[in-house]
């Protein structure tokens, strides 16, 4: 038997049979466990990356939902708020957060494609390669074991044949020495011994051949096949280690690639925050809520050191009548308005009852029994401060403002708005109508071109089929142009009034600067039946300041409700401003009862109302009015 003496490829020991080679099967088991552990590490990393991508997707989805939640809804009031720089900055922040969420989605997508997908495919290939290598190793082991078994079988057969040949030789020699044995038996024993010797020689030759073959196979096995298989396993394991390292680098690079874009998003958020202009926002608020009303004039000084009596100034309504100057009668539309929203002549008549105390009934024996005759000047009036406080704390009956607060549909010309707001609304309406006209004209031009194409190429369509639509568009354009003209007329009216008001304010300021002392000496306090306060201006002031109608849009408000009825006991000729004529026996509506000054406010119809002496009528108040 040839001894094996070689250098082990694992332990590099020189021995006939080293421990590593003897326990080769155990080494294969160890390598198999180790390579399986390496695959498990890869799969664990893949699972880690998958969970990271799910987190990134979930985070991105939550960011998008958050951004969408606070985005302004279309055609809502919130859209108007985004004209302010702070609101626009917030909107920009929401948009940038949306882009920020998109970068997290990019991270998830890149990790899925570059790491999870690639590693999953690599793991499958690795498993197949590992299986192939260990299959080759097992096959080589089985082959060497088979060769060893063949060698052992040949060896045993050679040993057996040698023993059989030795016994046959001994038997022949015994038979040849025995004289009692026949010559035929001796010959037979000799032939049998030769046959056994021949079989032993054949077994020896076979054993020698098998041994040489085994030694060759064993040398190839330990020096070629097994080292080659182990080398492949080693290379496979090194590739796995390199691959997982590269995947970890990719894991970091995917994040690093989006950092500049995320930084840009953060820079845009910072830029949006720096673009906030508090001055501009304040100016927008001022422009949005500017009413266009003028502030009230100064309150004149009341001199309580002189006896309180009513003095008639040169600009009083009664003197104006005495001089033959007719003034328009104050209608009932503007009742219940506060002084900043009423024209000057209406303010004067609303805040004052007739100049004089009411006349006594005709049956009175008083010297002033004649209606509208000379009146007693001894009527006392409350201090101005009390009247002014009562006026400011009383509930204003400005129905148009209440309707604005309720958000109800206003008139088409926006006359329920203050002048400046009305101008803005009208301008917006004009711009909107012009845009609609442009759209209709674009459609008409397109249809006209289509019709020309149909005329030149009848096979493409019927030219008459678009005539109806062209006619409709022409009608729509005409209607829209009429609407534009209507709104432009209203706009021009409002802008004219605003310019007149500005000019009047300039002239009034110039005049008042020259005549401050004269105006203050002539202005006297006035009180009306409802306790409101106003002051008479001089005749010169009336002439200097043109009576502008910039507040006409506030005239269309609801009339005061009736609180009862009354019957005229005597005929009364209402000659003063704010009074109304009644006939004896006439039934009228009461809209404001006597507040201690001797006058009752009544209404005949929607256009006729005014004050009459309380002693001239018999009042029947409703139950609800009495309870209130």
């Amino acid at each position: 038997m040839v001894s094996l003496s070689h250098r082990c490829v694992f332990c590099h020991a020189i021995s006939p049979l080293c421990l590593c080679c003897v326990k080769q099967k155990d080494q294969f088991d160890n390598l198999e466990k180790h390579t399986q552990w390496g695959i498990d590490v890869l799969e664990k990393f893949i699972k880690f990356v998958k969970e990271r991508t799910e987190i990134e997707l979930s985070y991105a989805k939550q960011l998008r939902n958050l951004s969408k939640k606070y985005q302004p809804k279309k055609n809502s009031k919130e859209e108007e708020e985004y004209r302010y720089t702070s609101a626009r900055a917030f909107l920009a922040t929401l948009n940038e957060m949306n882009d920020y969420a998109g970068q997290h989605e990019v991270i998830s997508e890149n990790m899925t494609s570059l790491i999870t997908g690639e590693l999953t495919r690599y793991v499958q290939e690795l498993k197949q390669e590992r299986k192939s290598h260990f299959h080759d190793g097992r096959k080589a082991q089985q082959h060497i074991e088979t060769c060893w078994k063949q060698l052992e079988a040949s060896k045993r057969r050679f040993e057996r044949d040698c023993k059989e040949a030795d016994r046959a030789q001994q038997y022949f020699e015994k038979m040849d020495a025995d004289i009692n044995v026949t010559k035929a038996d001796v010959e037979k024993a000799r032939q049998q011994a030769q046959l056994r010797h021949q079989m032993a020689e054949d077994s020896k030759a076979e054993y020698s051949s098998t041994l040489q073959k085994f030694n060759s196979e064993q040398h190839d096995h330990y020096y070629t096949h097994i080292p080659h298989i182990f080398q492949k396993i080693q290379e496979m394991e090194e590739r796995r280690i390199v691959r997982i390292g590269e995947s970890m680098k990719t894991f970091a690079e995917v994040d690093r690639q989006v950092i500049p874009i995320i930084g840009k998003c953060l820079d845009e958020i910072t830029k949006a925050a720096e673009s906030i202009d508090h001055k501009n926002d304040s100016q927008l608020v001022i422009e949005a809520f500017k009413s266009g009303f003028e502030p009230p004039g100064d309150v004149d000084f009341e001199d309580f050191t002189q006896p309180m009596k009513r003095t008639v100034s040169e600009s009083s309504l009664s003197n104006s009548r005495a001089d033959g100057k007719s003034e328009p009668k104050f209608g009932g539309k503007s009742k219940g308005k506060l002084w900043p929203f009423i024209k000057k002549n209406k303010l004067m008549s609303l805040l004052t009852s007739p100049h004089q105390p009411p006349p006594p009934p005709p049956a009175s024996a008083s010297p002033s029994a004649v209606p509208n005759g000379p009146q007693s000047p001894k009527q006392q009036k409350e201090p101005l401060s009390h009247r002014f406080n009562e006026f400011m704390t009383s509930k204003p009956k400005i129905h148009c403002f209440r309707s604005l607060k309720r958000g109800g549909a206003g008139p088409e010309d926006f006359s329920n708005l203050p002048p400046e707001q009305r101008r803005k609304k009208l301008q917006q309406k004009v711009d909107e109508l012009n845009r609609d006209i442009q759209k209709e004209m674009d459609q008409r031009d397109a249809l006209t071109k289509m019709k020309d194409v149909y005329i030149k190429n009848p096979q493409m369509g019927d030219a008459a089929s678009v005539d109806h639509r062209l006619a409709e568009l022409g009608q729509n354009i005409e209607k829209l142009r009429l609407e534009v003209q209507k709104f432009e007329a209203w706009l021009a009216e409002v802008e004219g009034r605003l310019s007149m008001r500005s000019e009047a304010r300039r002239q009034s300021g110039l005049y008042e600067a020259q005549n401050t002392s004269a105006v203050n000496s002539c202005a006297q306090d006035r009180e009306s039946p409802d306790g409101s306060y106003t002051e008479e201006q001089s005749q010169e002031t009336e002439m200097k300041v043109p009576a502008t109608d910039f507040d006409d849009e506030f005239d269309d408000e609801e009339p005061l409700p009736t609180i009862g009825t009354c019957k005229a006991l005597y005929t009364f000729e209402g000659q003063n401003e704010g009074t109304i004529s009644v006939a004896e026996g006439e039934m009228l509506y009461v809209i404001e009862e006597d507040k201690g000054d001797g006058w009752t406010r009544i209404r005949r119809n929607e256009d006729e109302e005014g004050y009459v002496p309380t002693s001239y009528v018999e009042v029947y108040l409703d139950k609800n009015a009495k309870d209130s």
Side-chain angles (χ1 to χ4, degrees), residues 314-327 539:
E314 296 177 1
S315 63
S316 66
L317 298 175
S318 60
N319 282 352
S320 298
R321 278 194 170 277
D323 295 340
K325 296 180 181 178
S326 62
E327 296 188 12
Q539 182 75 16

Side-chain angles (χ1 to χ4, degrees), residues 18 222 441 522 554:
C18 67
Y222 285 107
M441 291 178 67
C522 294
F554 294 96

Side-chain angles (χ1 to χ4, degrees), residues 104-165:
H104 285 278
E105 291 176 347
V106 170
I107 291 175
S108 176
E109 293 173 0
N110 291 341
M111 285 187 176
T112 300
S113 60
L114 299 178
I115 300 178
T116 306
E118 293 293 331
L119 282 185
T120 301
R121 286 190 295 271
Y122 177 71
V123 166
Q124 295 300 324
E125 296 173 358
L126 186 63
K127 286 181 178 180
Q128 292 295 329
E129 183 181 1
R130 173 179 173 274
K131 182 179 179 181
S132 173
H133 293 331
F134 281 101
H135 176 72
D136 293 343
R138 299 298 182 191
K139 187 177 179 181
Q141 279 187 321
Q142 291 175 0
H143 177 71
I144 197 65
E145 288 175 359
T146 302
C147 291
W148 174 258
K149 289 178 182 179
Q150 290 176 356
L151 177 63
E152 287 293 324
S154 176
K155 177 183 175 182
R156 285 194 299 270
R157 189 166 51 254
F158 171 58
E159 182 181 7
R160 185 180 66 249
D161 288 343
C162 287
K163 289 180 180 180
E164 290 292 333

Side-chain angles (χ1 to χ4, degrees), residues 459-471:
Q459 67 276 10
M460 297 183 66
D462 184 11
S465 61
V466 297
D467 290 340
H468 179 67
R469 179 59 181 161
L470 284 173

Side-chain angles (χ1 to χ4, degrees), residues 359-494:
S364 171
S366 169
S368 58
V370 181
N372 302 326
Q375 309 300 328
S376 172
K378 294 184 178 181
Q379 183 173 355
Q380 298 295 326
K381 55 182 176 180
E382 300 179 21
L384 171 64
S385 59
H386 174 73
R387 286 296 185 184
F388 187 74
N389 289 335
E390 181 182 351
F391 169 71
M392 294 303 292
T393 56
S394 63
K395 254 190 178 178
K397 299 176 182 177
I398 307 178
H399 304 288
C400 58
F401 276 180
R402 285 206 298 269
S403 66
L404 281 176
K405 191 177 291 185
R406 288 194 300 267
E412 185 182 12
D413 60 351
F414 304 109
S415 58
N416 57 332
L417 297 177
E420 187 67 26
Q421 302 301 316
R422 184 188 181 196
R423 183 189 65 78
K424 290 181 180 179
K425 286 290 185 181
L426 289 172
Q427 186 62 53
Q428 291 177 4
K429 188 66 176 179
V430 169
D431 295 341
E432 180 182 348
L433 290 172
N434 285 329
R435 286 194 295 270
D436 292 341
I437 290 174
Q438 187 61 43
K439 289 180 182 178
E440 296 290 328
M441 291 178 67
D442 292 341
Q443 292 185 22
R444 185 180 65 180
D445 294 342
L447 286 176
T448 303
K449 292 179 180 178
M450 184 184 297
K451 183 178 179 180
D452 294 340
V453 171
Y454 287 168
I455 292 173
K456 295 177 182 178
N457 302 285
Q459 67 276 10
M460 297 183 66
D462 184 11
S465 61
V466 297
D467 290 340
H468 179 67
R469 179 59 181 161
L470 284 173
E472 288 183 356
L473 289 174
Q475 294 175 1
N476 293 341
I477 292 173
E478 188 62 29
K479 289 179 182 178
L480 289 173
R481 283 174 176 168
L482 291 176
E483 287 289 316
V484 169
Q485 292 177 3
K486 179 174 63 175
F487 279 96
E488 284 179 343
W490 286 332
L491 180 61
E493 179 185 359
V494 172

Side-chain angles (χ1 to χ4, degrees), residues 35-257:
T35 52
Q36 182 61 44
W37 172 83
I39 292 175
D40 292 341
V41 170
L42 268 179
E43 291 178 339
K44 187 185 296 184
F45 183 72
I46 292 172
K47 186 177 180 182
F48 161 74
V49 176
K50 279 184 178 179
E51 292 184 2
R52 166 73 189 277
T53 57
E54 291 173 359
I55 291 173
E56 293 291 343
L57 281 178
S58 176
Y59 182 51
K61 183 178 180 181
Q62 291 178 8
L63 284 179
R64 287 193 183 279
N65 290 338
L66 181 65
S67 177
K68 183 178 179 181
K69 177 180 178 182
Y70 289 95
Q71 286 281 354
K73 297 178 178 58
K74 292 184 178 179
N75 301 324
S76 66
K77 187 179 178 182
E78 291 183 4
E79 285 190 334
E80 299 179 1
E81 298 174 357
Y82 283 91
R83 55 184 174 170
Y84 301 106
T85 57
S86 57
R88 288 202 301 270
F90 178 58
L91 181 60
T93 300
L94 293 178
N95 294 333
E96 292 300 330
M97 288 307 296
N98 204 34
D99 296 340
Y100 185 87
Q103 296 310 307
H104 285 278
E105 291 176 347
V106 170
I107 291 175
S108 176
E109 293 173 0
N110 291 341
M111 285 187 176
T112 300
S113 60
L114 299 178
I115 300 178
T116 306
E118 293 293 331
L119 282 185
T120 301
R121 286 190 295 271
Y122 177 71
V123 166
Q124 295 300 324
E125 296 173 358
L126 186 63
K127 286 181 178 180
Q128 292 295 329
E129 183 181 1
R130 173 179 173 274
K131 182 179 179 181
S132 173
H133 293 331
F134 281 101
H135 176 72
D136 293 343
R138 299 298 182 191
K139 187 177 179 181
Q141 279 187 321
Q142 291 175 0
H143 177 71
I144 197 65
E145 288 175 359
T146 302
C147 291
W148 174 258
K149 289 178 182 179
Q150 290 176 356
L151 177 63
E152 287 293 324
S154 176
K155 177 183 175 182
R156 285 194 299 270
R157 189 166 51 254
F158 171 58
E159 182 181 7
R160 185 180 66 249
D161 288 343
C162 287
K163 289 180 180 180
E164 290 292 333
D166 189 37
R167 283 196 299 271
Q169 184 65 33
Q170 290 178 2
Y171 179 73
F172 168 69
E173 290 178 355
K174 182 179 178 182
M175 292 293 290
D176 188 44
D178 190 357
I179 59 174
N180 296 321
V181 179
T182 63
K183 187 177 181 180
D185 291 336
V186 174
E187 185 64 23
K188 183 178 180 180
R190 186 182 63 79
Q191 291 179 359
Q192 186 67 28
Q194 289 179 352
L195 178 63
R196 292 297 179 182
H197 277 290
Q198 185 63 39
M199 291 178 62
E201 289 295 331
D202 293 341
S203 296
K204 181 181 178 180
E206 181 183 359
Y207 172 63
S208 177
S209 174
T210 304
L211 180 59
Q212 290 179 2
K213 182 179 178 181
F214 173 77
N215 288 335
S216 176
E217 291 289 344
Q218 182 177 248
H219 184 275
D220 292 341
H221 175 78
Y222 285 107
Y223 285 92
T224 305
H225 299 315
I226 292 301
H228 182 66
I229 292 172
F230 284 167
Q231 184 67 31
K232 287 184 177 180
I233 295 174
Q234 180 179 348
E235 291 174 356
M236 177 191 72
E237 186 68 10
E238 289 175 353
R239 285 198 307 271
R240 178 193 65 82
I241 295 171
V242 171
R243 191 62 176 269
I244 194 171
E246 291 175 350
S247 299
M248 290 180 180
K249 287 182 181 179
T250 305
F251 183 82
E253 285 298 325
V254 167
D255 264 341
R256 187 175 287 109
Q257 288 173 0

